[in-house]
Amino acid sequence: LVDQYAKHLVALDQQQRIDGFYEQLTLDLPQYAEYQLRLGKLRVQMGNAEAALPPLAQVSNHAKFGSEARLLINQIENREQKLGFAELPLTGNNGQFIVSALLDESTPIKLLIDTGAAITAIDEVVLQRAGYDLNAERHYFSTANGVVAAPVLNVSELSLGDAKISGLAVGALPLSLPSGVVGLLGMNFLRHYEFRIDQGKSTLILERR
């Protein structure tokens, strides 16, 4: 029932309600440590690492879930986030903006900026070619073809110019996008910055919060 309701909220693009739903479960059913872990993982994936720490700490000594919770806490505390300033050229039209990015310092990719996407997504084929194992835990995503389950994994680094984030959660999805575009730049990257699009100059401007 929990999974069905979470899938329903994804279909409605209600990511924040999923957070609230899991949080309420942790309050009503504190004996079920799985929901503490789910809440922490969801917040990490959405780029809200600071808020992920309390629920993860609650289960850090749990016999079954403790090792995964401790691993996530360690990643949050040691994550290297080089949040500087960047002004990046954009291409595109009809209200859609495309930015060049670099995956793991070696693979140039083009991403469509999508402020409605909670999590950044990259085409599964690109991630496979970059050496990632797609046998990761699956999560629900709302797509043009309906709600689909797809693996979510942490990439070593995603950079836009001098703006770089290590360990970013990325959905591995089969995507139908404009030619040459292989993913969606979502809010779990953008929320680390004050960002704006200068349509006159066709640039994305990122400033550290």
Side-chain angles (χ1 to χ4, degrees), residues 47 49 76 78-84 164-166 192 208:
I76 292 169
N78 295 292
R79 178 175 294 172
E80 183 181 0
Q81 295 182 353
K82 304 170 185 176
L83 304 181
K164 304 176 183 182
I165 295 184
S166 302
H192 293 288
R208 187 170 184 171

Side-chain angles (χ1 to χ4, degrees), residues 45-207:
Q45 290 161 8
M46 294 179 69
N48 195 6
E50 184 176 345
L53 287 172
L56 291 174
Q58 289 291 324
V59 292
S60 61
N61 293 317
H62 191 272
K64 182 177 181 180
F65 303 113
S67 60
E68 188 173 1
R70 290 193 299 272
L71 178 61
L72 287 169
I73 291 170
N74 185 62
Q75 289 174 349
I76 292 169
E77 292 178 343
N78 295 292
R79 178 175 294 172
E80 183 181 0
Q81 295 182 353
K82 304 170 185 176
L83 304 181
F85 169 82
E87 187 168 330
L88 305 153
L90 299 173
T91 59
N93 52 39
N94 297 324
Q96 293 185 320
F97 297 98
I98 298 163
V99 65
S100 295
L102 195 62
L103 176 63
D104 297 345
E105 299 184 330
S106 60
T107 304
I109 56 176
K110 292 188 180 296
L111 302 175
L112 180 69
I113 297 173
D114 186 355
T115 57
I119 299 177
T120 297
I122 297 177
D123 191 277
E124 57 187 2
V125 174
V126 174
L127 291 169
Q128 274 187 317
R129 288 175 179 169
Y132 286 98
D133 181 2
L134 301 189
N135 293 318
E137 183 178 355
R138 290 179 172 262
H139 295 261
Y140 293 119
F141 289 85
S142 180
T143 72
N145 297 319
V147 177
V148 299
V152 174
L153 48 88
N154 292 332
V155 298
S156 297
E157 183 178 273
L158 184 67
S159 58
L160 276 66
D162 291 332
K164 304 176 183 182
I165 295 184
S166 302
L168 184 73
V170 168
L173 292 163
L175 298 169
S176 297
L177 294 167
S179 178
V181 180
V182 299
L184 304 172
L185 183 67
M187 286 302 296
N188 67 329
F189 186 101
L190 292 170
R191 71 178 296 158
H192 293 288
Y193 300 89
E194 295 290 347
F195 69 92
R196 68 183 187 277
I197 293 174
D198 187 328
Q199 297 190 46
K201 294 182 180 180
S202 293
T203 57
L204 171 65
I205 299 169
L206 302 172
E207 296 180 8

